[in-house]
């Protein structure tokens, strides 16, 4: 959260890097298969990871494993901390999302309703709701205790990314060559971006207003301020960053795109 570190997951390994120098600071080992999702706690002192080994694990920033959490019966695809750092939500290929105590690893709630893989989960900014995306092509909003509040349909393929806007009023989802914007309180669809779109402004995850955009290797298309066209054929999992009026993301075609919510 302070922008000083980057966390990455790979085969059996989680690594923490200096955002300023790129130096590896810590390495976590314990997962026995691919690490599919990582997230930092709001205070930056803990890391949660999900893996194909069906576990959710919580680590100290220095790499000590604090909790090994079992409960899913298939791959864990997505993990997230609540804004107060007290809870963790995980989404799995077992069609469930589970809510855990971040302090003890105890299962608190089970979220049932999706009919296929749960590929993405996120907390609302006030921590009172959870949004999930699934291979059943739906986006769903839940109470903390697992009551389904809204079911949103419109995607025609697996929903691999979901996120709340910082004010909690909107939800953004992708990935079937569209990005869709929904009203969080009603589930009504507000806006759909399809294929090629106009790109306004510039925003990226982990960037601040004072952080210039960075080119990340050959073949990446850097989009500066102004109106630029971008094509998104396949949006990368976990690649959406959302402000109250802007969506930023990255694609498998090595493009960064920024969309204006109107």
């Amino acid at each position: 959260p302070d922008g000083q570190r980057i966390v990455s997951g790979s085969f059996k390994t989680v690594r923490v890097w200096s955002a300023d120098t790129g130096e590896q600071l810590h390495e976590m080992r314990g997962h026995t298969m691919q690490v599919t999702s990582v997230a930092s706690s709001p205070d930056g002192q803990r890391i949660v990871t999900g893996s194909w080994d069906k576990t959710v694990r919580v680590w100290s920033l220095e790499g000590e494993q604090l909790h090994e959490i079992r409960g899913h019966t298939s791959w864990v695809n997505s993990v997230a901390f609540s804004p107060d750092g007290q809870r963790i939500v995980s989404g799995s290929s077992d069609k469930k999302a589970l809510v855990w105590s971040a302090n003890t690893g105890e299962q608190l709630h089970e979220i049932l309703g999706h009919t296929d893989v749960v590929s993405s989960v996120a907390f609302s900014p006030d921590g009172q709701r959870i949004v999930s995306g699934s291979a059943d092509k739906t986006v769903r909003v839940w109470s903390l205790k697992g009551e389904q509040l809204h079911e949103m349909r419109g995607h025609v393929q697996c929903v691999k990314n979901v996120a709340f806007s910082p004010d909690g009023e909107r939800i953004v989802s992708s990935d079937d060559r569209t990005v869709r914007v929904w009203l969080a309180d009603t589930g009504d669809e507000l806006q759909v971006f399809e294929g090629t779109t106009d790109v306004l402004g510039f925003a990226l995850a982990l960037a601040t207003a004072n952080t210039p955009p960075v080119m990340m290797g050959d073949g990446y298309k850097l989009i500066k301020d102004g109106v630029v066209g971008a094509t998104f054929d396949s949006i990368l999992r976990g690649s959406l960053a959302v402000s109250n009026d802007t969506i930023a993301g990255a694609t498998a075609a090595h493009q960064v795109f920024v969309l204006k919510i109107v």
Side-chain angles (χ1 to χ4, degrees):
D2 62 5
Q4 299 301 303
R5 298 173 181 86
I6 295 168
V7 183
S8 63
S10 62
F11 185 66
K12 300 184 181 181
T13 306
V14 180
R15 291 182 171 89
V16 181
W17 313 83
S18 166
D20 293 330
T21 67
E23 176 189 3
Q24 181 178 311
L25 303 177
H26 306 290
E27 181 177 300
M28 294 83 148
R29 291 186 175 270
H31 284 296
T32 59
M33 295 184 72
Q34 179 72 32
V35 178
T36 54
S37 182
V38 298
S40 294
S41 62
D43 64 4
Q45 297 305 302
R46 291 170 295 170
I47 295 164
V48 63
T49 57
S51 169
W52 285 355
D53 66 12
K54 309 176 188 177
T55 69
V56 175
R57 303 186 190 224
V58 183
W59 314 80
S60 72
L61 193 59
E62 291 74 30
E64 177 190 1
Q65 183 174 294
L66 304 176
H67 305 295
E68 178 183 330
I69 303 172
R70 294 184 177 272
H72 285 294
T73 58
S74 188
W75 297 352
V76 178
N77 300 312
S78 181
V79 292
F81 271 101
S82 61
D84 62 6
Q86 297 301 303
R87 296 176 180 85
I88 291 165
V89 63
S90 56
S92 168
S93 294
D94 62 12
K95 308 177 187 178
K96 299 178 184 178
L98 299 177
V99 181
W100 315 88
S101 166
N103 296 321
T104 67
E106 175 189 4
Q107 183 179 314
L108 301 176
H109 305 292
E110 184 177 53
I111 296 174
L112 300 173
H114 282 297
T115 59
D116 207 331
V117 170
V118 178
S119 51
S120 184
V121 290
F123 278 98
S124 61
D126 64 3
Q128 297 305 301
R129 292 168 294 172
I130 292 166
V131 62
S132 58
S134 170
D136 67 12
K137 307 173 189 176
T138 68
V139 177
R140 304 189 192 215
V141 183
W142 315 83
S143 72
L144 273 185
K145 294 185 178 180
E147 176 190 3
Q148 183 173 297
L149 305 177
H150 306 294
E151 177 182 330
M152 292 94 99
R153 293 184 176 271
H155 288 289
V156 296
Q157 295 178 16
C158 177
V159 182
K160 295 181 181 178
N161 299 279
V162 290
F164 275 94
S165 61
D167 60 10
E169 294 183 1
R170 296 175 178 87
I171 290 167
V172 176
S173 60
S174 66
D175 160 35
D176 52 4
R177 299 189 182 184
T178 71
V179 177
R180 295 174 187 265
V181 184
W182 316 83
L183 269 179
D185 288 340
T186 67
D188 292 338
E189 188 175 81
L190 289 178
Q191 201 165 355
V192 181
F193 299 95
E194 298 185 5
T196 302
T197 184
D198 288 336
V199 180
L200 306 176
F202 187 89
L204 271 180
L206 304 179
T208 69
N210 297 320
T211 304
V214 177
M215 179 72 81
M216 297 188 296
D218 293 340
Y220 283 79
K221 180 179 179 182
L222 185 64
I223 300 175
K224 295 283 191 177
D225 289 342
V227 179
V228 183
T231 301
F232 43 93
D233 291 332
S234 178
I235 300 167
L236 298 179
R237 177 178 295 175
S239 63
L240 289 182
V242 184
S243 71
N244 289 334
D245 60 2
T246 306
I247 306 163
T251 78
H254 306 300
Q255 291 177 322
V256 172
F257 64 86
V258 183
L259 309 172
K260 188 73 172 179
I261 301 173
V262 297

